[in-house]
């Protein structure tokens, strides 16, 4: 179950390329944000996994 939760967390944060982030000294801006644009319907992912 922890592996499912971790995987869903990764998918939840996978769409980082579409978000605007404040540039500061603690974080590096994405070089190619177009490569990090994903739109997952996270409600459907567990249903697909359960179906096998």
């Amino acid at each position: 179950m922890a592996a499912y939760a971790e995987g869903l967390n990764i998918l939840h944060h996978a769409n980082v390329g579409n978000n605007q982030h404040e540039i500061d000294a603690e974080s590096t801006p994405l070089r190619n944000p177009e490569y990090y644009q994903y739109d997952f319907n996270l409600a459907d992912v567990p249903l697909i996994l359960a179906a096998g």
Side-chain angles (χ1 to χ4, degrees), residues 3 5 9 12 14-15 17-19 21-22 25 27-28 30 32-34 36 39 41-44 46-47 52:
N9 188 33
H12 177 71
N15 198 20
N18 282 335
N19 300 334
H21 295 283
E22 184 176 329
S27 60
T28 304
L30 290 173
N32 299 313
E34 65 273 8
Y36 301 96
D39 189 21
N41 186 357
L42 291 181
D44 289 343
L47 297 174

